[in-house]
Amino acid sequence: MNFSKTSIKTVALALVLSAFAATSAEAGPREDIIAKFQAQAEAPANPANGEQMYNATYGTGKPDTPKCTTCHGATPQQGGETRTAKLIDPMAVSKTPDRFTDAKKVDKWFRRNCTGVIGRECTAQEKVDFLTFLAGQ
Amino acid sequence: MSDAPNSDNKPANGTSKRASRMVKVWDIPTRAFHWSLVSMVFIGILTGYIAPEWWMGMHVWAGYITVTLLVFRLVWGVFGSEYARLETFAFGPMHILTHMKEIITLRPVRHYIGHNPSGAAMIFGLLIVLIIITISGLLVLGGEENQGALAGVASYAIGDMAAEVHAFFVFALMAMIVMHVGGVILEGRLTGENLVHSMITGLKKVPQGTPPLAHRRARPLYAALVTGLFFSGAALGLENLAKIPPSGLVQLPANAAYESECGDCHGVFHPSLLPIASWQGMMQSLEDHFGEDASLDDDSVNEITAYLTQFGGENWDTEASNRFAILDPAKPYSIIATPYWVRKHDEIKPEVFKRRGIGVKSNCGACHTDHYSGRFDDQKINIPEEKKK
């Protein structure tokens, strides 16, 4: 009896462990970053808003950079170019797999580019919308 | 080198109206020297004034060959055949003046078999001026460009001074060339002799009745020996000089923060390109960086500021660091606004900067393939051609 109890426990533990391992393999740094913004956002991520943001013309930030596509590609699948002629890899995760995997980098560029384009920092909601849109591209 | 017996270089009386005979005066090495020197000076002037800067390599080679020619000529001036020898045309000042007066007043001049006194004075003058030009050129190369044998010993300031000497004596040289050619033409008119032709064939006319005189032969073996000795000595010296690292260039360690953070939007600028105060001011105003927000976290700002302070312009003694130290007061953080940058690039058309692969003026690395070293050598400039999008 004792023996079978222990074996059930062992099997259960193994199951839990393997399930945990499976989920953590799926949740890479990008998922962590998105989850962090999601936790601060008011509503669930909406990729359609992210797409709208990617294409919108704001003109409320610095005069030379009215929209995200001033520098990023016309579509997420296309590469872009900075105003100083440096090429930027496509923003779509399918094209550039290591996109949004470094939290420090993501924060740095959201800070710079949102103030540059919109004239203010982006909200957590905007960030999570933007990232989920591009993660699905 | 056939050495026909003929007279020495004493003036023979009379004009060329009288019947005359041809004698061999200029030996082959002397003639080859003359025309090689002409071509080197021509190339030097052309590449110095007209050709774009990335032809500097050719200019420098013309200089090296000129030095070789000069050394050879001085040696040949001792061991060459009769009229190649310097002593045969080392006239005293009075002698030279008298001859010049004869030419200027267009009087029939006395005939000389070798160089006449005015021509001889010009030759010594040209040799001296060319020696000054090549030495100062080597100093400019070492001081300003940090290239060549003197790169390790000549500071930028010395190079800058030498540049003025170089330019001045090149002007003098061109004036002397005009006088030299003018003299040849005038002398030809007065004596009926074609001196240019003589410098090609080696033959000159001498008036009939000139007594045959001893004509010393060349001693090519001695000449080769001395020339060889000189150049092996020079090569040894140069090799040792070349071991000294170029002065004014600092060993620049890589800095990951600088290269990644400041290379995100544009190519990384070499720290020597702006004075320390400019870098520090720029690092404190990254939120408004040339119309963009380039803000960074405090740690990165501190690390990069320290790096740029340690390796900013004042720590270098290169052409770029010295020239870009003079800023446009209205744009103290901009390299492309400095008067020197504007002057050096004002011949490049705006369309060129828009080419794919260049994009903007501040993309130094697109054209300067050695920008990462801070050297900006003339020979390393390569403007990308227009490519189809």
Side-chain angles (χ1 to χ4, degrees):
Chain A
M1 287 297 234
N2 264 350
F3 176 72
S4 63
K5 237 186 192 172
T6 331
S7 58
I8 290 167
K9 261 189 192 164
T10 317
V11 170
L13 191 68
L15 275 174
V16 169
L17 272 179
S18 58
F20 187 77
T23 45
S24 65
E26 223 164 60
R30 178 162 46 243
E31 285 67 22
D32 291 347
I33 292 169
I34 293 178
K36 196 188 76 199
F37 288 134
Q38 183 63 75
Q40 299 161 7
E42 282 150 12
N46 181 348
N49 285 347
E51 177 168 18
Q52 203 255 324
M53 190 174 159
Y54 188 89
N55 295 311
T57 302
Y58 293 90
T60 46
K62 298 191 192 291
D64 294 326
T65 55
K67 49 191 190 211
C68 302
T69 50
T70 302
C71 303
H72 295 294
T75 69
Q77 287 75 22
Q78 282 172 294
E81 195 176 315
T82 62
R83 290 168 50 237
T84 36
K86 206 176 151 177
L87 299 182
I88 303 179
D89 290 335
M91 288 294 265
V93 168
S94 62
K95 296 274 172 189
T96 314
D98 65 349
R99 275 273 172 242
F100 321 119
T101 50
D102 175 350
K104 224 177 131 193
K105 177 176 174 185
V106 172
D107 284 342
K108 179 177 78 181
W109 285 104
F110 266 134
R111 186 184 68 237
R112 285 177 178 170
N113 292 342
C114 290
T115 44
V117 174
I118 311 175
R120 59 166 171 81
E121 296 236 8
C122 287
T123 63
Q125 186 69 55
E126 284 169 323
K127 292 178 189 173
V128 73
D129 291 349
F130 191 77
L131 295 189
T132 32
F133 164 60
L134 292 170
Q137 290 295 305
Chain B
M1 269 170 282
S2 79
D3 298 328
N6 51 36
S7 47
D8 70 5
N9 204 20
K10 297 281 153 47
N13 58 324
T15 63
S16 58
K17 295 266 159 45
R18 287 205 258 150
S20 52
R21 61 191 158 97
M22 301 297 271
V23 291
K24 184 79 149 205
V25 177
W26 310 125
D27 56 27
I28 290 174
T30 303
R31 283 178 274 151
F33 160 80
H34 178 269
W35 295 112
S36 313
L37 189 65
V38 169
S39 17
M40 286 310 125
V41 168
F42 184 71
I43 292 175
I45 289 176
L46 216 62
T47 50
Y49 282 108
I50 300 166
E53 293 226 2
W54 54 94
W55 283 47
M56 228 22 171
M58 199 158 182
H59 186 81
V60 170
W61 271 109
Y64 284 137
I65 296 173
T66 303
V67 173
T68 314
L69 290 171
L70 292 176
V71 168
F72 162 76
R73 184 62 187 91
L74 292 177
V75 173
W76 201 244
V78 177
F79 299 107
S81 72
E82 186 69 22
Y83 299 107
R85 297 193 186 190
L86 299 181
E87 61 178 277
T88 64
F89 53 94
F91 297 95
M94 286 317 290
H95 208 142
I96 297 169
L97 279 176
T98 317
H99 184 261
M100 281 184 179
K101 223 161 60 194
E102 282 177 348
I103 292 190
I104 290 167
T105 53
L106 302 179
R107 248 179 277 147
V109 290
R110 287 203 232 149
H111 189 269
Y112 292 84
I113 295 172
H115 293 296
N116 65 48
S118 309
M122 178 59 78
I123 289 164
F124 282 111
L126 285 170
L127 289 177
I128 291 167
V129 165
L130 280 167
I131 289 170
I132 296 174
I133 288 175
T134 45
I135 291 177
S136 59
L138 206 59
L139 279 169
V140 180
L141 189 70
E144 283 200 345
E145 311 285 340
N146 260 320
Q147 296 178 30
L150 301 183
V153 282
S155 72
Y156 183 82
I158 287 179
D160 213 26
M161 241 152 56
E164 287 180 20
V165 174
H166 193 68
F168 175 80
F169 278 94
V170 170
F171 266 120
L173 176 69
M174 292 194 294
M176 288 165 85
I177 292 172
V178 170
M179 280 157 63
H180 177 59
V181 173
V184 166
I185 294 171
L186 210 58
E187 169 99 7
R189 288 276 167 81
L190 295 178
T191 64
E193 222 181 342
N194 188 338
L195 294 181
V196 178
H197 198 251
S198 302
M199 201 33 97
I200 296 170
T201 59
L203 299 173
K204 271 183 98 174
K205 251 183 249 171
V206 293
Q208 194 106 64
T210 311
L213 276 166
H215 187 157
R216 284 170 291 175
R217 291 175 162 277
R219 290 144 86 189
L221 210 66
Y222 284 100
L225 210 71
V226 173
T227 314
L229 225 61
F230 178 87
F231 280 111
S232 6
L236 213 72
L238 289 186
E239 205 191 302
N240 280 318
L241 278 176
K243 281 195 194 125
I244 307 174
S247 65
L249 281 173
V250 179
Q251 184 67 39
L252 181 71
N255 183 294
Y258 180 60
E259 275 148 38
S260 68
E261 298 298 354
C262 303
D264 271 335
C265 300
H266 45 62
V268 179
F269 293 98
H270 195 268
S272 68
L273 297 182
L274 281 175
I276 293 169
S278 292
W279 288 125
Q280 290 175 340
M282 181 188 299
M283 291 307 294
Q284 274 153 30
S285 57
L286 285 176
E287 301 72 34
D288 191 5
H289 178 79
F290 298 88
E292 281 190 25
D293 185 333
S295 56
L296 279 173
D297 59 282
D298 290 346
D299 285 349
S300 305
V301 169
N302 291 339
E303 182 181 348
I304 295 170
T305 307
Y307 178 70
L308 290 172
T309 304
Q310 194 183 347
F311 294 105
E314 284 86 340
N315 299 297
W316 303 73
D317 188 27
T318 59
E319 184 168 41
S321 74
N322 278 279
R323 302 287 194 161
F324 295 138
I326 298 159
L327 303 163
D328 174 356
K331 295 179 182 169
Y333 307 154
S334 174
I335 303 158
I336 61 173
T338 59
Y340 179 71
W341 197 95
V342 172
R343 190 151 35 84
K344 276 287 167 180
H345 299 82
D346 67 352
E347 278 174 19
I348 303 174
K349 296 197 184 67
E351 309 90 85
V352 173
F353 289 111
K354 297 222 174 64
R355 281 182 193 164
R356 203 145 180 88
I358 305 177
V360 284
K361 291 181 177 173
S362 55
N363 193 358
C364 319
C367 304
H368 296 278
T369 58
D370 64 344
H371 73 111
Y372 53 83
S373 68
R375 294 180 57 105
F376 290 85
D377 285 347
D378 295 308
Q379 301 92 324
K380 299 284 169 62
I381 302 174
N382 182 14
I383 301 180
E385 285 309 316
E386 186 67 275
K387 271 183 258 165
K388 293 276 165 284
K389 285 209 174 183

